[in-house]
Amino acid sequence: MRPPTWTIGELASDFDTTLRTIRFYEDKGLLTPERQGTTRIFHARDRVRLQLILRGKRLGFALDEIAHVINMYDNPPGEAGQLEFLIADIQTRRDHLLEKRRDLDEALAELDELERRCRDDLAGLGL
Amino acid sequence: MRPPTWTIGELASDFDTTLRTIRFYEDKGLLTPERQGTTRIFHARDRVRLQLILRGKRLGFALDEIAHVINMYDNPPGEAGQLEFLIADIQTRRDHLLEKRRDLDEALAELDELERRCRDDLAGLGL
DNA sequence: TCTTACCTTTACGTCAACGTAAGGTACGGT
DNA sequence: ACCGTACCTTACGTTGACGTAAAGGTAAGA
């Protein structure tokens, strides 16, 4: 029972993306798969990172920013100053996400309102 | 007291964007300002639309999709079939937004968890 | 009258995030 | 011996969303 690994093709189909995209992310330093000869072998760590990347993309973040964030998860630094810096960084990231959630909730509310109006119109047609 | 209007420069500074961006959106048919000679005059409608566009962008949507959505707000169709079609469309849009919110909440939870760990590490350094 | 501050159009440039083709390697099956 | 499949690299192409210069019009104020 040794730890599971994945090929690039498996990851691509698992997360519904493309080989090209995964290779591109490696090129950008976001993924660092092991190699057997030339073939990539992905371990759990890179699988998780890929998941984080794709989620970040769905949320509309650029790869640079995503890279910054997922690297925060890597190395909790050992030095106090660095730790405080990291914590401050986390704060601003969270603020960004909270702003985004406000946007999202507003958009949802407006959609609901629109649907209500549509249903009213639809009901009005029956009279 | 006639209804308020805005110049392109006012809108740009109000929403912290650029003239170029606003003109680009007009080019794409997302905005349709009135003209006085060659100069654009924006009314409340386009101001709202610009707000919606920029919010959509912050949420990571492409302009095509944004165009589709804000046009839904325009013309509640008068025909029953069309109305039902629109309602169905609203459903799928909402589903997308809800997925996005799940992503967002997960990301927030992980950030919180990371911060907790950092604070623990920081406290551990004091011993 | 001249400057400043707006606005305009046209058009080429740019950057991120891949897509896509060309050509090669390696392995399992028939 | 050959085929199909999955992997690889290199490198040019594409698309969306603007940026940025060039060249100019208009109206208010010194």
Side-chain angles (χ1 to χ4, degrees):
Chain A
M1 284 257 173
R2 80 213 87 123
T5 62
W6 293 267
T7 69
I8 190 172
E10 286 165 352
L11 281 193
S13 89
D14 282 3
F15 294 117
D16 195 29
T17 183
T18 69
L19 308 186
R20 178 64 176 100
T21 295
I22 294 177
R23 294 193 186 115
F24 180 73
Y25 293 162
E26 183 188 3
D27 225 57
K28 294 271 152 179
L30 294 172
L31 302 176
T32 52
E34 189 196 335
R35 295 285 183 136
Q36 258 178 27
T38 63
T39 300
R40 281 164 256 256
I41 309 277
F42 294 84
H43 296 251
R45 174 177 181 274
D46 274 327
R47 190 188 160 89
V48 169
R49 286 173 73 93
L50 178 56
Q51 217 168 6
L52 292 179
I53 296 166
L54 296 173
R55 196 183 62 196
K57 289 243 68 190
R58 287 196 299 271
L59 291 175
F61 292 102
L63 283 185
D64 299 19
E65 210 165 348
I66 294 173
H68 183 97
V69 172
I70 66 180
N71 285 331
M72 298 191 343
Y73 286 93
D74 254 5
N75 45 347
E79 201 252 315
Q82 300 282 338
L83 269 171
E84 281 161 8
F85 199 78
L86 178 53
I87 289 176
D89 201 342
I90 293 172
Q91 297 281 359
T92 66
R93 301 293 158 183
R94 176 167 33 224
D95 288 350
H96 288 163
L97 287 177
L98 290 177
E99 277 184 42
K100 216 160 258 203
R101 196 164 65 178
R102 272 198 299 279
D103 280 336
L104 221 159
D105 287 342
E106 282 177 29
L108 274 168
E110 283 163 20
L111 270 188
D112 287 353
E113 165 67 8
L114 176 60
E115 183 181 357
R116 208 185 50 68
R117 267 163 38 209
C118 285
R119 292 202 182 283
D120 283 3
D121 288 6
L122 203 53
L125 285 180
L127 301 186
Chain B
M1 281 257 173
R2 76 215 89 122
T5 62
W6 294 267
T7 70
I8 189 171
E10 287 165 351
L11 280 194
S13 88
D14 282 3
F15 294 117
D16 194 31
T17 183
T18 69
L19 308 186
R20 178 65 175 97
T21 295
I22 294 177
R23 295 195 186 113
F24 180 73
Y25 293 163
E26 183 188 4
D27 225 58
K28 292 273 150 176
L30 294 173
L31 301 175
T32 52
E34 187 198 336
R35 296 286 182 136
Q36 257 178 25
T38 64
T39 301
R40 281 165 256 254
I41 310 278
F42 293 84
H43 296 252
R45 174 177 181 274
D46 274 328
R47 189 187 161 89
V48 170
R49 286 173 73 93
L50 177 57
Q51 217 169 5
L52 292 178
I53 295 167
L54 295 172
R55 195 182 63 195
K57 288 243 68 189
R58 287 197 299 272
L59 291 174
F61 291 102
L63 285 184
D64 300 18
E65 212 165 348
I66 294 173
H68 183 98
V69 172
I70 68 181
N71 285 331
M72 299 191 343
Y73 286 93
D74 255 1
N75 44 347
E79 201 252 317
Q82 299 281 337
L83 269 172
E84 281 162 7
F85 200 77
L86 178 52
I87 289 176
D89 200 341
I90 293 173
Q91 297 282 359
T92 65
R93 301 291 157 185
R94 176 166 36 222
D95 288 350
H96 288 164
L97 287 176
L98 290 177
E99 276 185 42
K100 217 160 256 203
R101 195 162 67 178
R102 271 199 298 281
D103 280 335
L104 220 158
D105 287 340
E106 283 178 28
L108 274 168
E110 282 162 20
L111 270 188
D112 287 353
E113 165 67 9
L114 176 60
E115 183 181 359
R116 210 185 48 69
R117 267 161 42 206
C118 285
R119 294 203 181 282
D120 283 1
D121 288 6
L122 204 52
L125 285 178
L127 302 185

